[in-house]
Amino acid sequence: AQSAPDLSDPQSDGALSDDGAPTIDSDGNVSNGDGGQMAGGLLGAHAPGRTAMVLALLVTGTGYLVNAGYVGSMDVAVAVFCTAVVWMLLPSTENNKDAAQGEEDTAQPEVPPSPAAPEAAVVHQVDEWVEPASELARGDPSLPRALDNKWREPMARKFKVRSARYFARKLKLPAERAPAFRPIGIQGYMRGEGAKRLRNLGAEVPSLAQHMASKPASYFLLVSWLIPGPPYISVMFAFERAVAIGEDPVLDRMMEEFVQGSDADRKARFKYLPSLDMAPRMVMSGMKLIGGEKPTMLCNKLDSRFYRGENYFEIEIDIASSKIANMVTGLILPKVKSVVVSSAFILQANHEEELPERILACNSCNGIRMYDNIVHLP
């Protein structure tokens, strides 16, 4: 079968490279199509039982679909985020069998040493948005990997973006400048008991609408995720602009074009970069096997809507419109309970004068139990 085109980034942002679909031998070792071991012991001592086999079959099937051309690498990045959302939706379970047997080892990918020089940017302070009906809040930045049901602001340099010489050398480097927007909150909502989808959260969530109205001189970026249901849950990532107008003329122009432009223009710019920072070892190996974390032109693949308010712009993304995301949601639930996942959003640089890319906004979710903090709206 012909290889599926890489939809993750139209200009050399990477593609799956394995020639054959993965296979699983009788010992639970996962191998590529040429017989080489790719993730030995995926079903080893830390992953006994039916749940591990289901996850392994999911990994194998997804790898086959990618290599056969039925799904693109775009879906892999969607799977990473959807897996993280599933973890967030799980309620706390202190007395289950896994707790009795001891938690799995967690794997942490190697992170290159941070440069000593600070990020060059003028970053203004922002105010946290507080939802009175929820315990979700900003976490301690000195504990970036704590699983404490908090959200954080990750360092921009952990994400690689198009460098100043990208069009000449296809070179990506850690982000040099602070994000244009800073996170002010993460929260999940449901209309009643979740029989219908809740859309346009910027206008429908009272606490968020009041927070933005109280700061008319500020500008806000909202990214809302529609989780497959029923029950239908909507998750809000909220950010406030921290780089003032005039400090970065290229950013000013790109934001103006993004907000004022057509939906087609927006979809050609809005890029999502996930980073699965910490997860059970079996899951980390599985996600690497099916492609890992790749830049994704998210709105080109998933159904999206855009809303404009007096001082905000909202991007609404329907996860249910991805088949692979629905598959992961249904099969990963029995096993996974804790994760640290970071998300970066970028307005893609399509011209030389727009380089190097600047991250628009980023945040991290640290062991968030979203289900325990769902706010029900009338």
Side-chain angles (χ1 to χ4, degrees):
Q2 252 187 342
S3 295
D6 179 16
L7 301 178
S8 63
D9 191 338
Q11 302 198 42
S12 300
D13 275 336
L16 297 175
S17 59
D18 296 320
D19 295 326
T23 60
I24 303 177
D25 62 24
S26 59
D27 295 324
N29 295 317
V30 181
S31 303
N32 62 18
D34 299 323
Q37 185 169 324
M38 299 178 68
L42 186 61
L43 303 183
H46 291 300
R50 182 180 303 173
T51 302
M53 180 62 72
V54 170
L55 179 59
L57 291 176
L58 169 63
V59 169
T60 303
T62 305
Y64 175 78
L65 291 174
V66 171
N67 284 287
Y70 292 108
V71 296
S73 59
M74 170 81 73
D75 293 316
V76 173
V78 175
V80 173
F81 176 79
C82 191
T83 300
V85 171
V86 168
W87 283 321
M88 291 190 290
L89 292 176
L90 285 173
S92 300
T93 53
E94 297 297 334
N95 299 314
N96 54 27
K97 293 182 179 179
D98 288 333
Q101 296 172 356
E103 291 293 326
E104 285 187 4
D105 291 340
T106 55
Q108 300 184 13
E110 293 184 5
V111 179
S114 299
E119 294 171 327
V122 177
V123 180
H124 302 280
Q125 294 298 318
V126 298
D127 297 322
E128 182 177 348
W129 152 51
V130 177
E131 173 55 69
S134 171
E135 296 180 359
L136 295 182
R138 184 189 299 271
D140 184 350
S142 67
L143 302 172
R145 295 185 183 276
L147 297 172
D148 54 3
N149 193 35
K150 304 290 184 183
W151 58 266
R152 286 168 171 79
E153 181 177 9
M155 298 298 291
R157 64 174 65 97
K158 76 173 294 176
F159 301 99
K160 287 188 176 182
V161 298
R162 294 182 173 187
S163 70
R165 293 190 287 177
Y166 177 80
F167 292 117
R169 299 180 56 190
K170 304 300 180 186
L171 179 63
K172 291 189 173 184
L173 295 172
E176 299 174 354
R177 299 172 292 175
F181 290 76
R182 298 185 65 188
I184 61 171
I186 294 176
Q187 186 58 56
Y189 293 91
M190 184 186 298
R191 176 80 73 187
E193 296 304 315
K196 295 183 179 181
R197 291 181 174 181
L198 178 61
R199 295 181 176 272
N200 192 9
L201 299 188
E204 294 294 324
V205 175
S207 65
L208 180 57
Q210 292 168 9
H211 179 85
M212 294 188 295
S214 70
K215 304 189 68 177
S218 296
Y219 198 79
F220 298 87
L221 176 70
L222 310 178
V223 181
S224 56
W225 307 85
L226 304 184
I227 310 303
Y232 294 103
I233 295 171
S234 298
V235 177
M236 168 58 70
F237 290 0
F239 306 88
E240 182 178 346
R241 182 156 177 167
V243 177
I245 294 176
E247 292 180 6
D248 185 343
V250 174
L251 169 67
D252 296 342
R253 178 181 58 80
M254 294 177 69
M255 273 299 300
E256 181 71 15
E257 293 175 354
F258 184 74
V259 172
Q260 302 292 342
S262 65
D263 286 357
D265 294 334
R266 294 162 180 159
K267 292 178 179 181
R269 287 280 195 186
F270 191 69
K271 185 161 60 179
Y272 170 58
L273 180 56
S275 175
L276 192 57
D277 301 332
M278 189 169 72
R281 190 174 300 277
M282 181 184 68
V283 176
M284 188 75 78
S285 299
M287 294 312 300
K288 288 181 179 178
L289 183 63
I290 62 174
E293 305 135 341
K294 295 180 180 295
T296 304
M297 304 306 291
L298 200 60
C299 298
N300 278 337
K301 189 66 175 180
L302 282 76
D303 293 343
S304 305
R305 296 186 183 183
F306 305 92
Y307 306 96
R308 291 177 58 185
E310 288 293 330
N311 61 339
Y312 74 87
F313 189 83
E314 179 178 352
I315 302 113
E316 180 184 271
I317 301 163
D318 185 1
I319 296 177
S321 60
S322 165
K323 292 181 180 179
I324 192 74
N326 277 312
M327 184 189 306
V328 172
T329 302
L331 295 179
I332 221 80
L333 270 171
K335 182 64 178 175
V336 190
K337 292 179 296 184
S338 59
V339 65
V340 176
V341 61
S342 299
S343 301
F345 305 95
I346 302 170
L347 293 183
Q348 179 170 273
N350 293 330
H351 306 285
E352 191 82 28
E353 61 272 16
E354 296 170 349
L355 295 175
E357 286 182 328
R358 182 173 202 153
I359 290 177
L360 193 62
C362 60
N363 63 13
S364 292
C365 300
N366 291 55
I368 288 182
R369 301 300 188 205
M370 189 66 73
Y371 187 85
D372 293 341
N373 292 279
I374 291 293
V375 176
H376 294 259
L377 299 179

